[in-house]
Amino acid sequence: MSTVSLVSTAVALALCLALTLALRRAWTVPKWADPAVALLRALVQLAILASVLSIAITQVTYVFLALLIMLGFGIWTSSRRLGANARTVALVAGAMTAAVAISVLAVFLTGALEFTGQNLLAFGGIITGNAMSVVTLSGRRLIQDVAEHWGEIEGWLALGATNRRAVRDIASRAMSEALIPNVDQTRVTGIVTMPGAFVGAVFAGASPLEAGRFQLLVLAGIMATGTVAAALVMWGSDPVANGRPSRAVSEKKSHLG
């Protein structure tokens, strides 16, 4: 990579980051400087990934290790957003692990993708990241909606409903909202968006047909993994157990950062 390319990249990154931070600051978004920290972390993490990828990709054992590390960071990130207590970590870990495992097994056991380190890392890494996002969005929405609709929950409890039944409708809405980005992403692929997996495969020399087949498997895996993860989180959550949220506003604020 030439010096000119590096300088151009740095300038483009600085401009995009400056615009992001300026607008977040102007709209008094909580923790407005977080994108700067996130971009710096991405830079460090990509540098580490680039240095080890050439080695890891040669052996499936190393690929599994890399995916476990990705999964671990994803579990911690979602858990931290949802409270980071022991029960939350266990729930998020179980939901994400099961969801990723189901999609990976479905794709590779059927032979839809050849079991290679490259395919496993590409497919597993993409669906793991999306599972993390869905778990975070569905969990946060559930926490917020329980605080806002506590009267509805009390009505169900007064009729003798279990905690799970009392929050079922709220959980259903939370799950639906969290899955909207995945469904929309699939719906507009090829029209509004050019998916990275597809473009990368074509640039790497794969035929458009083969690249399209891989992309379809990725999209199906994203939706399946997200749906399973969200369903497990909704099923395992019991936001009613601690009683009525005493400070709905502060609860909301704490889960926005």
Side-chain angles (χ1 to χ4, degrees), residues 109-229:
L109 288 183
T110 59
L113 285 180
E114 182 183 356
F115 187 68
T116 64
Q118 290 92 334
N119 285 339
L120 180 59
L121 186 61
F123 183 81
I126 292 171
I127 64 172
T128 298
N130 279 273
M132 178 193 71
S133 298
V134 169
V135 167
T136 300
L137 291 174
S138 59
R140 282 161 58 98
R141 182 61 185 264
L142 178 64
I143 291 169
Q144 294 172 6
D145 284 359
V146 164
E148 292 178 3
H149 299 279
W150 186 256
E152 177 184 333
I153 294 172
E154 285 185 325
W156 278 105
L157 295 175
L159 294 173
T162 62
N163 287 0
R164 183 171 292 160
R165 179 61 190 90
V167 299
R168 180 176 181 133
D169 294 339
I170 294 173
S172 177
R173 292 194 294 269
M175 180 175 171
S176 176
E177 288 293 321
L179 293 173
I180 285 177
N182 284 352
V183 176
D184 284 350
Q185 178 185 4
T186 302
R187 181 182 290 121
V188 302
T189 293
I191 298 176
V192 177
T193 63
M194 293 182 66
F198 175 83
V199 175
V202 171
F203 285 173
S207 69
L209 180 61
E210 186 63 22
R213 188 177 72 86
F214 180 80
Q215 183 62 49
L216 284 174
L217 290 170
V218 167
L219 292 172
I222 286 174
M223 289 192 295
T225 304
T227 303
V228 171

Side-chain angles (χ1 to χ4, degrees), residues 19-29 32:
L19 177 61
T20 300
L21 296 181
L23 288 175
R24 287 172 64 93
R25 179 74 182 258
W27 282 91
T28 61
V29 175
W32 63 271

Side-chain angles (χ1 to χ4, degrees), residues 31 34 41 73-85 88-89 92 136 140 254-255 257:
K31 298 187 177 181
D34 272 6
R41 285 187 56 174
F73 274 102
I75 290 169
W76 172 245
T77 300
S78 285
S79 299
R80 185 172 59 86
R81 293 288 185 180
L82 302 177
N85 57 65
T88 299
V89 173
V92 170
T136 300
R140 282 161 58 98
S254 67
H255 289 284

